[in-house]
Structures are given as structure tokens and as C-alpha cells.
């Protein structure tokens, strides 16, 4: 059995594209998805910038052949990304081996809950959304759409590291032989709930987010869904599958410092990266590129930067945050950046960290600001969340 | 060689007097209602009052339950390698209040506490923060298999010796808007049901409730050991006509047959629309097997099966099945192997196998 777990399919929908090809084209042409908010009516519309998926709900409903207002936006974008990943992995019968689904989400059906919160008391028109608030309901809808029956299906919600943790659990279940195939990732749509929540924390930027910049003003919220298909060696051999990349290492750790903020020295992030390197059997110098969490909040970027210095010492590899393109897509972020990491490996490309001008005064770390060609064997991706949750996944070309 | 996984201690906050581990359902608290609330522990014993004031109920219940489990196992908090929590809805009371605040105040004058506590992983995060536990910290939020997902994660890590001690729990709180809206759609029973009459209520819906049940799982026994976790499996869907064969398959995958099961603990909630799954097993292949149920005591919530897990562990340790939970009159010859089966509205079904130590 190889050490890495094979990735055979990827799928994504985000503010910079409705599929993998569009996302990649945006990444290499510098096309960002950050704008004023258009799809949610909010009093904050002039004070914030967000990363919205272009398609409105009615477009998504038509695409999925759903009745109007049948589903929350979160499962709809989740289905689109999961279906692309499954098609990309050339799976014709999802139940032809032991297949599971592990999905991360934080908001689930919150968009509909907040829309109809009081309407539920007035009439029964929107009662279909009552059970949609449970995060598991989003995953259930995706599972039903892709045809999973009598299967292992679960949902992880560890805030902004949810999808990274879904990849981690999926890889462990393939390794332990409990699953032959698993679809892993996450989905989160925009909601007033998160817009206002991050507003109360005062970490939302009113302009384009600038990860790792001295004058960064906070994050732009984004929405996205992204999934990977992981398959066992047995299925790779059985179906003569093309492998896109491997999940080589992973680690989760808790900062145990503060309910929302990261510790000053990035303790949890260091532990997560060290665990992932250990599982991968790699030393830090084997990492060719770091796709950073880099939310552009004052706290995250300082903490993550210090953690990078602690893990890599004087030899921090090229690193960049792609959140200037997509915004911070919360539970989906680890999935989005997993897809970008696979594409980076396939194309030997490092994405630019947009909007970076001035190094932070605490250290002399500069992210890669240009699109750069480099032979990549391994990419390390970080995702950190509320509750001190820190996750790292390492992707590689070789098993 | 995979290591064995043991349940070394328990902590339960429920609508029954379950937090005191020296007793075991000696006195049943009877209700006649459509929803139940937990019997509040004396939180001062577990949480400094100043901190407790702003804490969501889910966090408080979990802290009491988790601390009870840790003190019973007599292990240092620093020995806990990971924390894994299952919760259907997290601290949903704060989520509801935050939505209300957004709507009622037109997105103005909001404060962060309610938003922060709305994050599903607040409980796992807060426990880690309180204990200074920097290990693996996961939260599973998949309806009625949230707790079982947590168990599965813990089991894998302990078997592979990636961790030695893992705190695993299930928690959900019952709050107003959730209750009101679930009454609208008929998921809560329309008329009150007495604790003793749940299975004969012959009505739709369940008696909704809340609770926090935490356990210390380890790959070595401590003096307080309750049981060994042999296997578990979850299914997103099962058709009614498939339940028998999936139950039999699960047992045979673990080299067991029906007659090896000394007791089956089932999640019947008295919903005439969905109890057919349980009836299918109890009236057929497990007809001759001693049977127990618990949702008349715990009520129904996404992680109610963690109360069932608590019950099965107590039964194995005490070698006694309280009368109140017996579903048929068949008495076991021994109490060694227990099968748990749960589902909610036909979905997210699970089998769990426990063995006495």
C-alpha cells in the first residue's frame, strides 16, 4: 500500500469560476472574484467587499432541475462541485464499491433560515427549509443527488478548517480500508448571518483583501464549494485510474488559546504542520510551495507567518494565499485550496498573492506575488478556524 | 496489530438523574409532555460562575458531563490526546438569538458572543481551551449519526495508537425556535405522552429533548472501565426491507450471529411513521433477544443515541438492566455483548457493538 491516498477527481465552484477550468484560468490570468455584494440585501453593502458566485439561485435551480426555492444555496453549489469531481474521476456507478461522502459546512441552510425566520410562523410556504438548518441536511442532499445509498455519509463543522478536516478523515478511512472511495470537501454559501458575524468581530475589509501585507484590513467573505474524489489503490488498479495527485500527509491540532483568535506564536498551526510532515514522512525542506490560510486579518497572518518561520526556519518555501481571488470561503476554504494545490502540482505553477505591497513589520516574510513556474513535487495547504482549529494537508505528485 | 478500544468512563446530563455515576437509574423521573429539558447539574461545581454566565447551555452541559467522565477515569486532563464531539445543531440557542438580533435590529448593534458560540465546534473548542488540549479536535454535525461519526474517528485513532485517550461526546440543546418550527412540521408529538407510554402512543412525531453525554475512550483499560468498543457502522439510508439483512451482515462481519447478542438497545421514539424499522428487528430476527429502549427517558435529539451508548455501558458495568428500559420480558443468561441500533426518521442509521470487560 502506498503512503499517499490517490486523488482521482476534483470539482469546484467559486467566485472565480463555475468549474475547475474556469477557476484555473482566473488564477493564472489574475482575474479576481471580489466585488460589492449584489445577491444579499444588507445594510452593510457599501462597507464590505465579498467573493460571490456569479450564478443566482434561480440559475442554480434550473441547472439542477430543482423547483424554485427547493434547496438552500449551500447544498446547490455543493452538488455542482461534487458532480464535477465525480465526472472528473470518470465514475459511472457511484455504488460500484464502498463509497462515502464527507462534507464540511458551517452555515448549511442558514441563508433560508434567516430569510424565513418569522415567515415560518405566518404560513407554511417555506416549511421545507425548517430542517435545512441542520448542517447534516446539506450533506444529505448532496449524497442523495449523487446517488449514495446505505453509505458512510457525514458532516464536519470545525469552522474554517472543515473541508481540510473532511479530506483528513477521508484519507484515514481509505488507509484503514473502511472505504474504497470517498468524496471529500466542503460547501458554504454567503449569508447575512456570517456577514454580520464577521462584522461584529471587526475583521472584514471594506476593500480588496491583502494577505500578509503590513496594512491589511481584514478578510472578504466568499462562497464556494469544492470536492475531491479519493480512491484506494485497489480501485485505482481495478479501473486503471489516472491519479491527479496524492494526499500525502495531514494533521489537526488545537491552538487552545482563544475561542476565535490564533495564538501569537501560532502554536496550533506549528503542531498541525509538524503532524502533517510527520504523516507524510517528509522534512520541511521537501515542501515546494505553501498555499497559506492567509485570510488577511491582522491576527491570522501574523500568527501564520510566525508559524511558518518556526516550521521552516530561514528557508520558508514560496508561499501565497489565494484568498485575494476568492475571498474567505469558510468551511469550503480547505476544499477550494486543495483543488488549487492539485492544479498547482499538475501545472507546476505557484499562484500570486495579490494585493501584497508592504512586508509586515514583525518579520521579513514576503509571499510570492508573481505567477511563477516551478517544478513542484509537494504542496502544503493550511486551514485554520474558530475554536482554535488548525489543519494542514500535504499534497504530492508521487505516492 | 490494531489496539483494542475501551470505554473507560462516562458522564451524562439528561432529563434523568444520570450525572451521579454511583447510581444507575434507581429512581426514574416521569414526565408527561411533548418536550423534555435536562435536569440542570449544579454548574458551580464545574464552571466558575463568572464564566458560566455567558456560556451557552450546550457548553455548560458538556463541561459538566466531560468533567464527570474525566474524574471517574482518574486521568489527568493533560493525558487527553484528542477531543471529538458530535452535535446535530451545536449551540443553536445562540444561533437563533443572533438571527433574531440581525432581523429585529436591522443588522445593527450586534455583539460577537452569540456569533462566536454559534460555531458548531464551540463545545469541542471550549473544552480544549479549558483543558489546554492541543491535540486533534473534531466536531461532527450529521444529524442522528453525529455521535457515531465521532466514535468512529476516535476508534480509528486509538486502534492505530495515534492517541491513547480521547474524550468523545454528544451534545444538543433544545431551544424555542427549533421547537416551535418542528411543531409546525409535525416532528414533535401533538399531545403529551407519559414516560411509560411512549411506545404505545400511536402518534406521529417524537418527544423532543436535549442532553450531553461524554465518554473517555482509551486503548488501555483503566480501573473504571465499562466496556470494549468492538465495531460500529453508519448508513445514510436504509430501505425498511433491507434492515434485517444489514443487521445480520454487520454481525457476521464481526463473526457474530443473532444468538451471540445478549441485549439489543434500540432507539424507538414512539413515532408511528418510523418505529417500523425497530419493529422489523424486534419482531423478527431479534424476537428471542432481550430488548431495551431509552428515548422515553432521554427524549429525542440528534445525539440521543449517545444516551443509548451511556445506557449500554452502564448495563455492562453494573450487569443489570433497569426495569424501566426493558422492552420485552426475556432475561439474558449473561450480559456480555450488546448491539445498539438507532435511526431518526429512517435516516442516518447506526449499529454499535459493545462487549463487557
Amino acid at each position: 500500500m502506498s503512503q499517499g491516498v490517490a486523488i482521482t477527481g476534483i470539482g469546484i465552484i467559486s467566485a472565480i469560476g463555475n468549474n475547475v477550468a474556469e477557476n484555473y484560468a482566473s488564477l493564472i490570468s489574475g482575474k479576481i472574484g471580489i466585488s460589492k455584494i449584489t445577491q444579499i440585501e444588507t445594510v452593510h453593502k457599501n462597507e464590505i467587499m465579498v467573493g460571490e458566485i456569479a450564478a443566482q439561485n434561480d440559475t442554480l435551480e434550473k441547472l439542477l432541475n430543482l423547483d424554485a426555492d427547493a434547496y438552500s444555496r449551500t447544498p446547490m453549489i455543493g452538488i455542482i462541485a461534487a458532480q464535477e469531481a465525480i465526472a472528473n474521476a470518470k465514475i459511472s456507478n457511484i455504488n460500484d464499491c464502498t463509497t462515502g461522502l464527507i462534507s464540511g459546512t458551517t452555515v448549511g441552510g442558514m441563508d433560508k433560515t434567516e430569510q424565513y425566520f418569522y415567515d415560518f410562523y405566518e404560513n407554511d410556504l417555506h416549511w421545507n427549509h425548517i430542517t435545512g438548518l441542520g448542517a447534516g441536511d446539506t450533506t444529505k442532499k448532496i449524497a442523495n443527488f449523487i446517488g449514495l445509498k446505505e453509505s458512510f455519509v457525514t458532516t464536519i463543522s470545525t469552522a474554517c478548517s472543515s473541508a481540510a478536516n473532511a479530506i483528513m478523515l477521508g484519507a484515514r478511512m481509505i488507509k484503514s480500508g473502511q472505504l474504497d472511495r470517498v468524496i471529500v470537501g466542503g460547501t458554504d454559501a454567503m449569508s447575512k448571518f456570517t456577514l454580520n458575524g464577521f462584522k461584529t468581530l471587526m475583521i472584514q475589509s471594506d476593500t480588496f483583501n491583502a494577505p500578509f501585507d503590513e496594512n491589511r484590513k481584514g478578510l472578504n467573505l466568499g462562497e464556494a464549494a469544492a470536492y475531491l474524489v479519493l480512491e484506494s489503490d485497489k480501485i485505482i488498479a481495478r479501473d486503471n485510474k489516472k491519479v491527479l495527485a496524492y494526499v500525502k500527509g495531514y494533521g489537526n491540532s488545537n491552538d487552545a488559546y482563544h475561542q476565535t483568535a490564533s495564538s501569537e506564536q501560532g502554536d496550533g498551526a506549528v503542531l498541525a504542520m509538524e503532524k502533517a510532515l510527520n504523516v507524510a514522512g517528509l522534512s520541511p525542506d521537501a515542501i515546494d510551495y505553501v498555499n497559506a490560510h492567509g485570510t488577511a486579518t491582522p491576527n491570522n497572518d501574523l500568527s501564520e507567518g510566525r508559524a511558518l518561520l518556526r516550521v521552516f526556519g530561514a528557508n520558508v518555501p514560496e508561499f501565497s494565499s489565494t484568498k485575494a481571488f476568492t475571498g474567505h470561503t469558510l468551511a469550503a476554504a480547505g476544499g477550494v485550496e486543495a483543488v488549487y494545490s492539485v492544479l498547482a502540482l499538475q501545472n507546476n505553477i505557484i499562484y500570486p498573492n495579490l494585493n501584497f505591497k508592504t512586508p509586515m513589520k514583525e518579520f521579513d516574510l514576503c509571499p510570492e506575488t508573481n505567477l511563477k513556474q516551478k517544478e513542484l513535487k509537494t504542496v502544503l495547504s493550511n486551514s485554520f478556524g474558530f475554536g482554535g482549529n488548525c489543519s494542514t494537508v500535504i499534497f504530492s505528485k508521487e505516492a | 496489530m490494531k489496539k483494542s478500544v475501551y470505554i473507560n468512563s462516562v458522564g451524562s446530563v439528561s432529563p434523568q438523574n444520570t450525572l451521579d455515576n454511583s447510581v444507575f437509574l434507581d429512581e426514574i423521573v416521569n414526565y408527561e409532555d411533548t418536550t423534555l429539558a435536562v435536569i440542570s447539574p449544579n454548574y458551580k461545581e464545574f464552571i466558575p460562575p463568572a464564566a458560566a454566565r455567558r456560556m451557552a447551555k450546550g457548553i455548560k452541559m458538556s463541561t459538566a458531563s466531560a468533567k464527570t467522565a474525566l474524574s471517574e477515569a482518574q486521568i489527568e486532563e493533560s493525558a487527553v490526546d484528542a477531543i471529538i464531539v458530535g452535535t446535530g445543531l451545536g449551540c443553536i440557542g445562540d444561533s437563533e438569538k443572533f438571527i433574531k438580533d440581525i432581523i429585529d435590529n436591522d443588522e445593527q448593534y450586534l455583539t460577537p458572543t452569540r456569533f462566536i458560540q454559534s460555531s458548531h465546534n464551540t463545545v469541542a473548542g471550549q473544552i480544549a481551551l479549558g483543558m489546554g488540549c492541543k491535540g486533534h479536535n473534531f466536531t461532527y454535525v450529521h444529524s442522528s449519526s453525529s455521535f457515531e461519526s465521532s466514535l468512529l474517528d476516535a476508534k480509528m485513532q486509538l486502534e492505530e495508537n495515534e492517541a491513547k485517550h480521547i474524550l468523545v461526546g454528544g451534545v444538543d440543546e433544545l431551544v424555542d425556535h427549533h421547537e416551535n418550527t418542528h411543531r409546525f412540521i409535525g416532528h414533535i408529538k401533538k399531545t403529551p405522552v407519559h414516560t411509560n407510554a411512549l411506545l404505545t402512543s400511536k402518534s406521529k412525531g417524537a418527544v423532543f429533548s436535549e442532553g450531553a453525554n461524554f465518554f473517555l475512550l482509551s486503548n488501555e483499560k483503566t480501573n473504571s472501565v465499562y466496556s470494549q468498543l468492538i465495531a460500529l457502522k453508519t448508513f445514510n439510508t436504509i430501505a425498511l426491507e433491507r434492515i434485517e439483512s444489514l443487521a445480520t451482515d454487520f454481525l457476521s462481519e464481526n463473526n457474530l450471529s443473532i444468538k451471540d447478542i445478549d441485549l439489543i438497545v434500540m432507539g424507538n421514539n414512539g413515532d408511528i411513521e418510523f418505529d417500523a424499522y425497530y419493529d422489523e428487528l424486534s419482531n423478527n430476527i431479534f424476537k428471542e433477544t432481550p430488548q431495551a429502549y431509552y428515548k422515553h427517558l432521554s427524549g429525542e435529539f440528534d445525539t440521543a443515541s449517545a444516551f443509548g451508548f451511556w445506557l449500554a455501558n452502564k448495563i455492562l458495568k453494573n450487569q443489570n438492566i433497569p426495569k424501566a428500559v426493558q422492552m420485552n420480558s426475556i432475561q439474558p443468561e449473561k450480559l456480555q455483548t450488546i448491539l445498539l441500533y438507532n435511526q431518526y426518521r429512517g435516516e442516518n442509521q447506526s449499529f454499535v457493538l459493545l462487549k463487557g470487560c
Side-chain angles (χ1 to χ4, degrees):
Chain A
M1 162 147 186
S2 61
Q3 190 176 4
V5 174
I7 302 166
T8 57
I10 52 179
I12 185 169
I13 178 167
S14 78
I16 60 167
N18 295 328
N19 52 47
V20 171
E22 287 180 18
N23 269 268
Y24 185 67
S26 296
L27 286 169
I28 59 167
S29 64
K31 187 187 157 218
I32 65 163
I34 308 299
S35 65
K36 292 267 188 220
I37 191 161
T38 65
Q39 299 196 19
I40 288 182
E41 198 46 56
T42 166
V43 301
H44 308 305
K45 60 178 177 241
N46 295 319
E47 310 149 39
I48 51 167
M49 303 278 277
V50 296
E52 286 179 320
I53 291 171
Q56 301 200 352
N57 281 348
D58 55 352
T59 309
L60 299 174
E61 284 156 1
K62 277 190 202 115
L63 203 63
L64 297 173
N65 214 2
L66 287 167
D67 289 340
D69 198 41
Y71 282 16
S72 145
R73 190 168 171 86
T74 308
M76 288 199 288
I77 57 176
I79 291 163
I80 288 166
Q83 283 182 333
E84 186 189 18
I86 291 163
N88 185 229
K90 299 194 168 38
I91 295 164
S92 48
N93 176 4
I94 195 90
N95 292 307
D96 70 357
C97 62
T98 312
T99 302
L101 169 66
I102 306 166
S103 182
T105 187
T106 64
V107 299
M110 183 59 81
D111 54 337
K112 297 294 181 183
T113 302
E114 64 193 21
Q115 191 179 349
Y116 301 127
F117 193 80
Y118 287 124
D119 291 353
F120 290 149
Y121 293 81
E122 304 296 324
N123 57 61
D124 62 2
L125 295 176
H126 309 292
W127 284 2
N128 59 311
H129 292 301
I130 287 175
T131 52
L133 181 59
D137 189 71
T138 288
T139 312
K140 165 185 139 179
K141 286 177 168 134
I142 300 169
N144 289 347
F145 235 88
I146 63 177
L148 283 178
K149 291 189 176 74
E150 295 179 1
S151 300
F152 177 78
V153 174
T154 197
T155 310
I156 292 177
S157 197
T158 52
C160 308
S161 55
S162 302
N165 289 339
I167 295 169
M168 207 175 297
L169 179 71
R172 288 167 52 217
M173 289 186 75
I174 297 267
K175 277 192 184 181
S176 75
Q178 293 182 70
L179 293 173
D180 298 319
R181 174 195 293 142
V182 61
I183 295 126
V184 292
T187 177
D188 255 342
M190 198 74 74
S191 71
K192 258 188 183 173
F193 190 89
T194 39
L195 284 171
N196 281 284
F198 282 97
K199 174 101 183 152
T200 65
L201 294 169
M202 296 182 288
I203 51 175
Q204 239 169 154
S205 174
D206 59 357
T207 181
F208 300 101
N209 77 81
F212 298 104
D213 189 274
E214 170 65 17
N215 302 309
R216 63 200 181 282
K217 293 174 75 179
L219 56 82
N220 301 128
L221 267 188
E223 58 179 357
Y227 291 89
L228 313 176
V229 177
L230 308 182
E231 293 186 300
S232 68
D233 294 348
K234 186 180 91 185
I235 301 302
I236 302 293
R238 184 193 75 176
D239 298 345
N240 197 18
K241 277 284 174 73
K242 182 185 165 197
V243 178
L244 309 179
Y246 293 86
V247 177
K248 182 83 170 170
Y250 38 77
N252 172 266
S253 173
N254 198 287
D255 215 17
Y257 170 74
H258 184 271
Q259 188 59 20
T260 57
S262 301
S263 64
E264 286 208 7
Q265 302 301 324
D267 293 354
V270 170
L271 284 170
M273 284 189 269
E274 285 175 350
K275 270 189 191 176
L277 286 164
N278 189 35
V279 170
L282 294 172
S283 59
D285 60 10
I287 299 299
D288 298 317
Y289 164 52
V290 175
N291 185 295
H293 186 53
T295 56
T297 65
N299 172 245
N300 176 81
D301 293 7
L302 178 58
S303 177
E304 186 174 11
R306 284 182 170 146
L308 289 172
L309 286 167
R310 283 171 69 187
V311 172
F312 294 101
N315 303 310
V316 178
E318 284 99 330
F319 71 98
S320 63
S321 162
T322 45
K323 289 191 171 69
F325 286 91
T326 58
H328 185 6
T329 60
L330 306 182
V336 167
E337 287 152 36
V339 168
Y340 293 170
S341 297
V342 171
L343 289 169
L345 286 168
Q346 287 184 310
N347 296 287
N348 294 307
I349 281 283
I350 292 171
Y351 310 115
N353 187 110
L354 303 178
N355 307 329
F356 175 87
K357 290 189 188 75
T358 316
M360 290 159 63
K361 64 173 184 299
E362 290 85 355
F363 42 60
D364 61 352
L365 274 180
C366 290
E368 183 57 52
T369 54
N370 296 309
L371 184 73
K372 183 174 173 179
Q373 281 280 346
K374 181 187 174 186
E375 175 66 28
L376 300 178
K377 290 200 182 77
T378 55
V379 176
L380 179 148
S381 174
N382 282 333
S383 297
F384 310 136
F386 277 8
N389 212 279
C390 300
S391 298
T392 300
V393 184
I394 297 173
F395 301 94
S396 64
K397 255 183 206 154
E398 306 286 327
Chain B
M1 179 73 185
K2 280 187 177 173
K3 293 211 160 233
S4 300
V5 176
Y6 301 97
I7 289 83
N8 275 327
S9 66
V10 305
S12 173
V13 175
S14 78
Q16 300 295 326
N17 290 305
T18 46
L19 195 58
D20 178 357
N21 278 335
S22 67
V23 295
F24 179 32
L25 296 177
D26 295 354
E27 283 172 37
I28 300 297
V29 182
N30 287 302
Y31 296 91
E32 182 147 11
D33 212 329
T34 55
T35 57
L36 311 178
V38 297
I39 296 171
S40 283
N42 182 6
Y43 286 121
K44 279 187 219 129
E45 290 174 23
F46 304 97
I47 310 162
R53 212 169 306 131
R54 295 206 308 178
M55 265 185 193
K57 190 175 187 184
I59 303 175
K60 288 197 282 190
M61 290 193 283
S62 300
T63 305
S65 152
K67 286 197 170 177
T68 300
L70 288 179
S71 72
E72 187 187 31
Q74 291 187 313
I75 72 152
E76 295 295 323
E77 288 187 349
S78 59
V80 174
D81 299 311
I83 297 166
I84 308 175
V85 173
T87 176
L89 296 157
C91 297
I92 191 184
D94 284 78
S95 314
E96 289 183 356
K97 284 181 204 141
F98 195 66
I99 302 172
K100 260 176 96 104
D101 290 348
I102 291 173
I103 303 172
D104 297 350
N105 304 322
D106 197 25
E107 303 181 74
Q108 306 290 338
Y109 320 114
L110 301 165
T111 53
T113 306
R114 286 171 177 171
F115 176 65
I116 293 167
Q117 293 196 147
S118 291
S119 193
H120 289 89
N121 64 332
T122 287
V123 169
Q126 283 280 356
I127 294 175
L129 194 55
M131 291 173 31
C133 178
K134 295 193 176 188
H136 175 101
N137 190 285
F138 266 40
T139 299
Y140 291 93
V141 293
H142 199 67
S143 311
S144 57
S145 58
S146 304
F147 175 69
E148 288 71 18
S149 298
S150 308
L151 276 182
L152 179 128
D153 184 349
K155 183 169 177 282
M156 273 198 295
Q157 294 190 53
L158 293 167
E159 282 176 345
E160 299 298 329
N161 207 23
E162 292 166 29
K164 288 194 185 332
H165 299 289
I166 303 184
L167 184 63
V168 180
V171 59
D172 274 293
E173 52 182 40
L174 183 63
V175 294
D176 292 347
H177 178 77
H178 180 73
E179 181 182 326
N180 295 339
T181 52
H182 283 76
R183 283 192 197 281
F184 294 154
I185 54 175
H187 290 194
I188 299 179
K189 285 190 181 298
K190 286 205 162 54
T191 49
V193 181
H194 191 274
T195 301
N196 296 330
L198 187 72
L199 297 187
T200 50
S201 63
K202 303 254 181 289
S203 57
K204 288 183 188 178
V207 174
F208 268 30
S209 178
E210 57 184 6
N213 293 278
F214 277 72
F215 308 89
L216 185 76
L217 270 65
S218 316
N219 57 16
E220 56 195 42
K221 289 184 208 178
T222 66
N223 291 334
S224 57
V225 68
Y226 280 73
S227 72
Q228 185 183 348
L229 175 59
I230 304 297
L232 77 147
K233 202 164 181 181
T234 66
F235 306 83
N236 65 327
T237 62
I238 298 181
L240 188 57
E241 60 273 17
R242 288 274 298 149
I243 187 65
E244 269 194 33
S245 56
L246 286 171
T248 319
D249 290 352
F250 176 71
L251 293 181
S252 54
E253 282 161 22
N254 292 287
N255 305 311
L256 294 171
S257 64
I258 308 261
K259 62 171 177 24
D260 296 318
I261 300 302
D262 301 316
L263 176 71
I264 180 167
V265 174
M266 304 214 281
N268 301 54
N269 63 10
D271 184 337
I272 45 160
E273 279 189 290
F274 297 99
D275 268 4
Y277 279 95
Y278 301 110
D279 299 340
E280 192 71 17
L281 294 183
S282 56
N283 295 338
N284 297 299
I285 52 176
F286 291 104
K287 203 175 168 189
E288 306 299 326
T289 307
Q291 301 165 358
Y293 74 120
Y294 54 89
K295 284 184 184 162
H296 58 315
L297 305 182
S298 68
E300 180 67 281
F301 50 103
D302 284 319
T303 47
S305 57
F307 182 89
F309 191 74
W310 171 87
L311 176 71
N313 274 288
K314 290 290 272 192
I315 288 173
L316 285 172
K317 183 160 174 168
N318 290 329
Q319 288 291 302
N320 141 47
I321 310 171
K323 251 204 158 40
V325 301
Q326 294 177 15
M327 205 157 69
N328 62 6
S329 55
I330 303 169
Q331 295 300 317
E333 286 167 25
K334 60 180 192 333
L335 275 168
Q336 180 65 13
T337 308
I338 296 185
L339 174 67
L340 291 111
Y341 168 58
N342 185 58
Q343 53 86 15
Y344 179 62
R345 301 186 74 82
E347 293 174 343
N348 301 310
Q349 312 213 6
S350 60
F351 293 116
V352 180
L353 257 179
L354 291 177
K355 226 172 154 174
C357 286

